[in-house]
Amino acid sequence: MDDWTFGWTLALFGMGGTLLMLWIFSVLIILLRKIFPVKTEIKSEAKK
Amino acid sequence: MDSALPTALRALGLGLSNLGVGEAFMLLVGCLLLYLGIRHRFEPLLLLPIGFGALLVNIPMAGLMEEDGVLRYFYETGILTEIFPILIFIGIGAMIDFQPLLENPKIILLGAAGQCGIFLTLLLALALGFTQLEAVAIGIIGACDGPTAIYVTSKYAPHLLAAVSVAAYSYMSLVPLLQPGIMRLLTTSKERKIVMGAVRRPISRTTKIVFPIAVTLTASLIAPMGTPLIGMVMLGNLMKESGVVERLKNSSENEITNIVTLLLGLSIGATMQAKNFLRWETLMILCLGLIAIILDTAAGVLLGKLMSFLSRGKINPLIGAAGISAFPMSARVVQMEGQRYNRKSHLLMHAMSANVGGQIGSIIAAAIMLSLIQGLGT
């Protein structure tokens, strides 16, 4: 593979992939916050 | 006996009699690194052992990097096997706090923009005639993350390790000098004065525990070549957040990190032999590293401007500069710049979110790059 094809493939897919992956993580955080809210934890600790 | 004595005496001065111009110059470079580390406190934990390693390895006839040399042993055991950077990642994970990011997840995207310099510098390095794998190693300086740069370089271009590591750590420590000018150049006075509201959102303990596990699985399934990097950081973080292995967490962030930092620094210093270091490529790599970090900052600020526009002025674009991995220096720089233009502006927590995003972003960028290279069969 020539240098430019290599470089541009890495640059475009690398940058795009990083952006996409971090966006997935932001969605993941929002989901985790919804699935495991603080209120539920406080209630379960109070029961104990 | 008569002839043995002068011969033995001559052997005492062998180092001095074999000292060439290159070695003498590198001894000065070693002293300069020690000076920067000790006098100016520029990354002293790294620059001190690197500088001293550079001194030791450039003393003629000492043989520390020869076949049985002690520094060669450290280098082959820890750097060529990639063990040292991997162990450092566990310590980083044990020290990192994802709380600001968990409170304000949309800011994580700034951590992606902060990696832009990696890929643009890679293209520049190719244009300057470096081979494909050398260009990858040079581009990774833009991750602004020493262990990531060392991991990738030792994998693909170990002969560039000294230049890449020195560039990565030196520029990380120069962030407070490099970033403010770029931030001022790319933002208007009105933008710099934007006050961002406080984001205080309680995060459950379960979320903090599940987050490193979920990130490891997601990232590793998409970019499996980066599993050693992301896996070790998240292992360290899981030990911290779970709260059940306090001894392991303490060892990771203290003893393991300290020992490995010392050996890593010495090993990098040991690669700075005059015959390997004094080349045009080294100078070019140092320049390209600088460009990488400037591009990272510029891309972060520009994405910050876009987010500011889309949020109708609720986001201060200065926080984009903290999208690089230099933690917590760049977040502090953003806070200071914000305060300079508006005393009521407190950007630190937002910048910390971006900075943590930058730490994850640099590892993810490396992971994706490693997987792409494997896929391309280079």
Side-chain angles (χ1 to χ4, degrees):
Chain A
M1 180 183 286
D2 73 276
D3 284 356
W4 289 113
T5 313
F6 173 83
W8 282 109
T9 308
L10 231 57
L12 295 177
F13 286 94
M15 198 58 232
T18 307
L19 202 58
L20 179 68
M21 192 89 94
L22 293 189
W23 177 77
I24 292 171
F25 289 165
S26 72
V27 174
L28 192 72
I29 293 170
I30 294 166
L31 284 175
L32 286 175
R33 282 197 326 218
K34 286 204 167 133
I35 299 167
F36 306 111
V38 180
K39 283 177 192 168
T40 324
E41 251 176 29
I42 294 169
K43 275 181 191 169
S44 63
E45 274 175 24
K47 276 181 187 174
K48 283 176 190 172
Chain B
M1 182 67 188
D2 287 347
S3 62
L5 192 62
T7 314
L9 285 175
R10 262 202 303 278
L12 285 178
L14 271 180
L16 196 60
S17 59
N18 284 284
L19 187 70
V21 179
E23 283 85 6
F25 181 77
M26 287 310 294
L27 290 177
L28 289 176
V29 171
C31 289
L32 176 69
L33 294 178
L34 289 173
Y35 173 76
L36 291 174
I38 296 167
R39 182 77 177 86
H40 293 288
R41 306 261 170 146
F42 286 171
E43 297 282 335
L45 291 176
L46 258 300
L47 286 194
L48 195 144
I50 290 178
F52 208 79
L55 287 187
L56 294 176
V57 86
N58 283 292
I59 293 171
M61 314 299 287
L64 274 82
M65 269 302 260
E66 300 303 319
E67 202 57 48
D68 299 321
V70 64
L71 292 186
R72 173 144 214 113
Y73 183 72
F74 290 159
Y75 175 74
E76 287 182 350
T77 314
I79 303 274
L80 288 185
T81 57
E82 295 147 19
I83 294 287
F84 287 166
I86 290 290
L87 287 172
I88 293 269
F89 277 120
I90 302 180
I92 291 174
M95 288 182 238
I96 209 167
D97 184 5
F98 289 128
Q99 174 88 20
L101 195 63
L102 294 171
E103 288 175 357
N104 198 5
K106 64 175 181 285
I107 298 293
I108 199 173
L109 293 178
L110 293 171
Q115 314 311 318
C116 207
I118 298 177
F119 303 104
L120 296 175
T121 310
L122 184 152
L123 291 170
L124 267 175
L126 284 173
L128 287 170
F130 285 97
T131 66
Q132 294 176 356
L133 294 180
E134 284 174 344
V136 168
I138 295 166
I140 205 70
I141 299 172
C144 250
D145 181 347
T148 304
I150 293 167
Y151 182 83
V152 173
T153 309
S154 58
K155 211 172 189 63
Y156 294 126
H159 56 288
L160 299 183
L161 196 60
V164 169
S165 331
V166 169
Y169 281 107
S170 313
Y171 296 141
M172 266 168 66
S173 60
L174 292 178
V175 157
L177 298 176
L178 292 173
Q179 286 200 313
I182 304 162
M183 290 154 78
R184 281 172 222 154
L185 193 70
L186 294 175
T187 51
T188 62
S189 172
K190 191 181 165 195
E191 285 171 331
R192 291 192 288 268
K193 287 177 183 163
I194 293 174
V195 177
M196 289 178 73
V199 182
R200 282 262 167 236
R201 192 176 279 124
I203 303 295
S204 70
R205 183 167 170 261
T206 316
T207 302
K208 289 184 187 174
I209 292 173
V210 176
F211 180 67
I213 302 169
V215 166
T216 305
L217 294 178
T218 313
S220 302
L221 289 172
I222 296 173
M225 285 295 285
T227 308
L229 302 177
I230 197 85
M232 292 302 133
V233 173
M234 293 303 157
L235 168 66
N237 190 253
L238 182 61
M239 290 195 291
K240 172 190 156 88
E241 296 299 348
S242 68
V244 293
V245 283
E246 203 63 20
R247 278 166 49 196
L248 296 185
K249 179 226 145 195
N250 288 339
S251 298
S252 301
E253 66 179 351
N254 296 307
E255 289 86 354
I256 294 176
T257 304
N258 291 342
I259 293 168
V260 176
T261 302
L262 171 64
L263 297 178
L264 182 75
L266 269 176
S267 307
I268 293 167
T271 60
M272 293 173 69
Q273 285 175 291
K275 61 181 178 188
N276 301 327
F277 198 78
L278 293 179
R279 294 176 177 176
W280 278 113
E281 290 96 76
T282 305
L283 197 61
M284 283 161 76
I285 291 168
L286 293 176
C287 292
L288 286 168
L290 184 64
I291 292 170
I293 290 171
I294 290 171
L295 290 172
D296 282 341
T297 306
V301 174
L302 290 175
L303 184 63
K305 277 172 84 86
L306 180 66
M307 288 170 85
S308 179
F309 174 73
L310 294 176
S311 66
R312 293 180 190 165
K314 285 181 184 154
I315 291 178
N316 188 322
L318 289 181
I319 64 166
I324 62 171
S325 183
F327 185 89
M329 276 105 73
S330 58
R332 285 194 195 132
V333 171
V334 169
Q335 163 73 1
M336 276 156 50
E337 279 301 299
Q339 286 266 299
R340 184 194 292 260
Y341 292 95
N342 186 351
R343 286 265 156 216
K344 290 177 187 165
S345 176
H346 295 283
L347 299 174
L348 189 64
M349 282 316 286
H350 302 283
M352 283 288 193
S353 305
N355 220 176
V356 175
Q359 286 191 299
I360 299 183
S362 68
I363 298 167
I364 292 299
I368 288 176
M369 210 149 73
L370 293 172
S371 293
L372 284 172
I373 291 168
Q374 193 198 28
L376 292 170
T378 306

